[in-house]
Amino acid sequence: MAEQRTRPARRSTASKGSREEPVRGARGAAEQACEGLADLIGHRTEGVSAVRKAEEHPGWRVDVDVLEVPRIPDTTSLLATYEVELDGDGELLEYRRVRRYRRGAADT
């Protein structure tokens, strides 16, 4: 899992849905999902483990990995994966936690 050390620059959200152009590509969707989720849940995002086009509507589904409970040593910290759904303009439509795990645990 790639570690995200800095958050992308914030985009202006003065009026909802007033983005100049829609999200372009997987990278833009990943950045929007991380920023939107972090703002809502108040936890630091660690990275993105999946990005795919939404099937039901124009938009994206992004799996974002989040640090929920930092611990010492770091390998015992609790992380979670959230599935984030964005519309075609990059606005967050919904999110849900799909997995919670210890950083040092292997995938099963």
Side-chain angles (χ1 to χ4, degrees):
M1 172 170 41
E3 187 172 324
Q4 179 179 334
R5 295 190 186 272
T6 59
R7 290 180 55 184
R10 289 187 170 264
R11 291 182 174 91
S12 173
T13 56
S15 60
K16 190 173 180 171
S18 65
R19 258 189 212 21
E20 293 178 13
E21 47 186 76
V23 168
R24 296 195 191 274
R27 178 182 294 246
E31 289 174 356
Q32 280 298 115
C34 286
E35 181 179 318
L37 184 64
D39 286 346
L40 283 173
I41 66 174
H43 293 297
R44 186 181 88 195
T45 59
E46 291 280 306
V48 171
S49 52
V51 179
R52 59 203 173 281
K53 289 287 242 174
E55 296 174 11
E56 303 80 27
H57 58 81
W60 297 88
R61 285 218 170 117
V62 182
D63 291 349
V64 179
D65 299 313
V66 171
L67 176 63
E68 288 197 330
V69 182
R71 292 186 177 157
I72 298 174
D74 192 46
T75 54
T76 63
S77 294
L78 291 180
L79 289 92
T81 300
Y82 285 80
E83 183 179 81
V84 178
E85 191 165 334
L86 304 173
D87 67 13
D89 293 326
E91 292 294 327
L92 195 146
L93 298 175
E94 64 183 48
Y95 71 92
R96 67 188 181 103
R97 184 170 64 193
V98 294
R99 180 174 172 238
R100 196 170 195 201
Y101 57 98
R102 210 175 61 247
R103 186 186 298 275
D107 283 346
T108 55

